[in-house]
Amino acid sequence: MTKTPFYITTAISYVNGVPHLGHAYEIILTDVMARFQRLDGRETFFLTGTDEHGEKVAKTAEQHDMSAKEFADKNAASFIKMTETLNISNDDFIRTSQVRHHKSVQAIWKKLHDKGDIYLGKYEGWYSIREEAYFAEDELRESEDGAKFTPNGTPVEWVEEPSYFFRLSAYTEKLLEYYEAHPKFIAPDARRNEIISFVRQEGGLKDLSISRHKSRLKWGIPVPGDDDHVMYVWLDALTNYITGVGYPDENSEAFQKFWPAQYHVIGKDIIRFHCIYWPAFLMSADIELPETVFAHGFINVQGEKMSKSVGNVLSPDGLVETYGLDQIRYFLMREIPHGQDGNFSHEQAVLRINSDLANGLGNLAQRTLSMIHKNCDGAYPSPGAFTDADKALLDKAYRAMLNETREAYNTFKIHRALEAIWRVVSDANAYIDEQAPWTLKKEDVSRMNTVLCVLADVIRCLAIIVQPVVPVSANKMLDQLKVPDDQRTFEHISDAYALKPATAIDKPEGIFPRIVEEQAA
Ligand code: MSP
C-alpha cells in the first residue's frame, strides 16, 4: 500500500531580529518529523520561511536607516543560513515578500470578500506593535505611571482607523463543531482545551481587523481594489502555508498532492492565530483545513526567559560551534518533553552529550567495530547460531524499539523515541560486558564472531532509527558499518540479520567526541 504524502510546516519567523535558540528548537523539531516520515516511506514536503511585513519590521528598519525591503533581505538571509547551519531538510523556503505570496494572499482575500465575510469598518483599540496584535482593555496591565502593557509585557498604543474586518463572529459555532468533530486538530490536548474555552467565551468571537490604513503602514500586501489599505500581517502570514504548495492554483500538482497539511508546528504563543483565525479563513475560502496544529513549549536559558536585556539569547551558530551540530540537535530533542516548556543549561547539555552520545552510542559502536577490525581480519565474520541472549537483544532492536519509536516519532514525542532507542543502547552495552567478546578470542572464536555480529547488527538498527535526530553522525556510523545507501530506511530495520559476511570495514574513528569542559566554557 502506498502511503499518503506528508506536508509539514514551521511558523515563519519575523525578520525584525535574527535567529535564536527558540527558532532553532522549532525548526529542528519539525526537521526530525520530516526526516522520520521520509525514512518511513512517505513522500514529504517541508516548508519554512520568513514573515516579513508589518509595522514592527518597518520601524526596526527605520531605526537601522534601511528600507524595509533591504532590512528584510538582510535578516531573511540569516534565517536561510540557519537552515544550513542546523542541517535542516526543508524543501522550500518561503518569504512573504515574494511575488508568489502576494498573488496568493490577494487571491484568498478576494475569496473571503466574495463570500461576504469582509467589510469596511472602523477600528479603535489597544494595539501592540511588538506582538502585531490588538488587546481588549481587560487583558491589559497598567504600570504606576498609567502606561498599559499586554500580558506579555509589551507596550500598547490606542489606535483609531478605518479598517477592513473579517466576519470571525460568524464562525464561532462552526469552529466549535469542527474542534468537536476533529479531536486531532489541536495538539497537545491541553492546548485544545485552552482554545475551546477561549472560543466558547461569552458573546463568542469578535470580528477581526485585517487591514491597516496606508498612512500608518506601507510595508504590506495591498488590499485588492482599495489602494488605501494594506493587509494585516496575520492573514498575510498564515496564507504562506498554502502559497508554499502552489495556491492560488488549487489544481497544481503540489496543492493536489500535499494540501491539507498534516502538521503546522508552532510555539504555544501563537495558537489562537493558528487554531481560530486560520481555520476560519480556510472555511470561508472553502479550502480544507490542516490535520493538526502542534504547539510546542518555550525554551528558557539557565532557567530564565531569553531576552536581549538579560543578555542570554543563544544563537544557533554559537550553539553548533560550542557543542557540535548533531550534539545540539540531540540535546534539544532529548531534553524538552512533548509540548512542554524546557530549559537549556550548559551543564545539562555537556552531561547528556557525554553520557548518551560519547559514552553510550558512540562508545558502543567504537568498541564493536574496533574489535571486528582487529580480531576478524578487518571484515564481518559469519555469525554462528544465536543464543537466547542474542535473540533477545536482536528482537528488541528489530521489533520493540522500532514499534515504540515509530509511534513516538509519529506523535511528536521525540524524547520518548530517544528513550526507547537508548534503552537498546544500554542493553547492548550490558550485553557486550556480559558476553565479554575480548575473552572469547582465545577460547571460542566462533562465539566471539557471533557476539560481534549481533552487536554490529544492533548498531546498524540504532544508526538507522536515530537518523532523524542526528543525521550526519548516524550516516557516518552507517558508512563505517558499510550499510549501502539504499538500505538505510526504517523498513530495513525489520529485516532479519542483514550484514554481509566478509564485507571489509575500515578502522573506525570515534563519531561522538567527549566535550571537555574547558573547551566548552
Ligand atoms: N511571524 C510569527 C509567526 C507567523 S506563522 C504564520 C512569529 N514569528 S517569531 O519569529 O516570533 O516566532 C517564530 C516561532 O518561534 C514561533 O512558533 C514561536 O513560538 C517560536 N519561538 C520563539 N521563541 C521561542 C522560544 N523561546 N522557545 C520555543 N519557541 C519559540 O511568531
Side-chain angles (χ1 to χ4, degrees):
M1 197 180 82
T2 52
K3 295 186 175 176
T4 50
F6 187 86
Y7 177 31
I8 189 164
T9 64
T10 64
I12 49 172
S13 305
Y14 289 131
V15 288
N16 58 306
V18 291
H20 57 61
L21 172 64
H23 299 115
Y25 171 67
E26 179 172 302
I27 205 166
I28 293 170
L29 180 66
T30 313
D31 187 53
V32 168
M33 179 62 100
R35 286 176 184 273
F36 160 69
Q37 294 295 344
R38 291 190 197 104
L39 288 165
D40 209 23
R42 277 176 94 171
E43 187 180 0
T44 296
F45 190 75
F46 169 13
L47 180 73
T48 186
T50 41
D51 183 358
E52 305 193 1
H53 297 124
E55 263 173 282
K56 193 157 53 172
V57 171
K59 288 205 171 165
T60 323
E62 228 171 77
Q63 287 158 12
H64 285 77
D65 276 334
M66 288 168 106
S67 73
K69 176 76 174 103
E70 281 167 347
F71 186 71
D73 284 348
K74 180 170 155 280
N75 281 353
S78 64
F79 281 93
I80 293 172
K81 185 169 158 275
M82 172 177 71
T83 63
E84 289 153 17
T85 311
L86 297 175
N87 191 17
I88 302 303
S89 65
N90 56 302
D91 298 284
D92 196 353
F93 189 99
I94 188 163
R95 299 183 52 190
T96 55
S97 58
Q98 289 166 337
V99 175
R100 61 169 170 165
H101 183 64
H102 283 222
K103 283 191 189 147
S104 166
V105 178
Q106 290 186 325
I108 198 170
W109 177 288
K110 283 191 200 131
K111 274 218 160 176
L112 310 191
H113 189 264
D114 292 350
K115 237 330 170 38
D117 281 338
I118 291 182
Y119 63 91
L120 185 62
K122 182 175 153 203
Y123 187 81
E124 40 186 33
W126 295 105
Y127 184 68
S128 158
I129 295 181
R130 248 189 265 162
E131 294 178 56
E132 312 259 22
Y134 287 98
F135 288 82
E137 184 85 40
D138 60 7
E139 286 180 285
L140 300 174
R141 290 190 285 115
E142 211 170 304
S143 67
E144 276 174 15
D145 60 4
K148 290 183 190 291
F149 295 89
T150 71
N152 301 317
T154 66
V156 289
E157 59 185 73
W158 183 255
V159 170
E160 280 184 29
E161 63 179 25
S163 166
Y164 284 94
F165 282 82
F166 173 73
R167 248 178 251 288
L168 187 62
S169 55
Y171 288 85
T172 308
E173 283 313 314
K174 288 184 192 136
L175 286 168
L176 287 170
E177 280 163 24
Y178 192 85
Y179 304 143
E180 188 63 38
H182 299 83
K184 274 174 46 190
F185 180 60
I186 306 170
D189 281 345
R191 302 287 168 216
R192 177 167 187 267
N193 300 336
E194 193 181 315
I195 289 293
I196 292 177
S197 44
F198 181 82
V199 176
R200 273 215 193 109
Q201 69 192 329
E202 225 179 299
L205 294 165
K206 294 182 187 61
D207 288 350
L208 184 73
S209 161
I210 52 167
S211 75
R212 294 284 165 277
H213 194 261
K214 224 169 56 179
S215 58
R216 270 173 61 77
L217 178 69
K218 292 184 186 60
W219 179 234
I221 301 179
V223 166
D226 187 343
D227 289 346
D228 286 344
H229 286 82
V230 299
M231 287 182 213
Y232 168 60
V233 284
W234 280 98
L235 176 59
D236 168 352
L238 290 160
T239 301
N240 92 85
Y241 300 132
I242 49 177
T243 310
V245 286
Y247 191 79
D249 184 359
E250 293 183 54
N251 294 318
S252 66
E253 201 191 321
F255 197 89
Q256 288 287 319
K257 188 185 275 179
F258 292 112
W259 191 260
Q262 273 57 48
Y263 276 113
H264 292 322
V265 180
I266 58 160
K268 63 176 185 179
D269 56 330
I270 51 176
I271 48 169
R272 283 190 197 171
F273 304 102
H274 283 79
C275 301
I276 301 174
Y277 300 178
W278 182 227
F281 295 153
L282 290 170
M283 283 174 179
S284 173
D286 296 317
I287 299 173
E288 268 185 271
L289 270 51
E291 249 170 53
T292 302
V293 175
F294 177 76
H296 59 74
F298 258 48
I299 310 195
N300 297 323
V301 173
Q302 309 280 139
E304 274 190 277
K305 200 174 156 184
M306 254 191 301
S307 89
K308 275 195 193 147
S309 52
V310 179
N312 62 351
V313 180
L314 297 179
S315 79
D317 284 343
L319 289 164
V320 169
E321 205 171 299
T322 308
Y323 302 99
L325 167 61
D326 281 345
Q327 284 79 352
I328 198 68
R329 290 176 59 110
Y330 175 78
F331 176 68
L332 292 173
M333 294 303 104
R334 178 64 186 79
E335 204 61 18
I336 294 149
H338 176 76
Q340 292 175 36
D341 288 350
N343 186 42
F344 185 91
S345 103
H346 171 71
E347 296 71 24
Q348 188 63 9
V350 172
L351 203 73
R352 274 251 174 250
I353 290 167
N354 283 345
S355 73
D356 296 4
L357 296 179
N359 299 346
L361 180 58
N363 194 31
L364 173 68
Q366 182 66 15
R367 277 162 103 186
T368 304
L369 290 175
S370 302
M371 273 189 274
I372 294 175
H373 190 260
K374 214 162 96 196
N375 300 332
C376 312
D377 293 330
Y380 287 130
S382 299
F386 292 133
T387 64
D388 286 349
D390 303 344
K391 283 190 208 146
L393 183 62
L394 286 170
D395 197 60
K396 253 193 192 168
Y398 296 156
R399 271 170 277 277
M401 174 177 76
L402 180 64
N403 293 341
E404 276 179 58
T405 307
R406 256 202 186 122
E407 154 112 31
Y409 273 131
N410 252 321
T411 48
F412 268 112
K413 296 190 175 119
I414 315 295
H415 68 298
R416 290 259 177 271
L418 293 172
E419 276 168 15
I421 297 170
W422 257 261
R423 274 200 292 278
V424 175
V425 171
S426 62
D427 286 353
N429 270 323
Y431 170 90
I432 209 172
D433 291 338
E434 269 160 37
Q435 302 292 328
W438 49 90
T439 63
L440 295 169
K441 198 180 162 192
K442 289 203 185 85
E443 300 157 18
D444 189 349
V445 175
S446 143
R447 179 66 195 145
M448 174 192 77
N449 289 346
T450 308
V451 168
L452 293 176
C453 286
V454 168
L455 285 163
D457 208 41
V458 168
I459 296 167
R460 177 185 68 85
C461 297
L462 289 166
I464 289 177
I465 212 160
V466 82
Q467 282 176 98
V469 180
V470 290
V472 175
S473 314
N475 277 287
K476 266 193 208 156
M477 210 171 266
L478 291 163
D479 291 344
Q480 292 190 349
L481 289 159
K482 302 288 177 205
V483 174
D485 285 349
D486 61 357
Q487 288 172 30
R488 298 182 178 191
T489 61
F490 277 37
E491 67 172 339
H492 293 99
I493 294 176
S494 40
D495 283 348
Y497 184 80
L499 296 169
K500 285 226 163 47
T503 307
I505 59 160
D506 306 318
K507 188 167 190 281
E509 277 175 32
I511 286 175
F512 295 110
R514 269 187 77 80
I515 297 182
V516 182
E517 245 328 309
E518 299 83 65
Q519 285 178 0

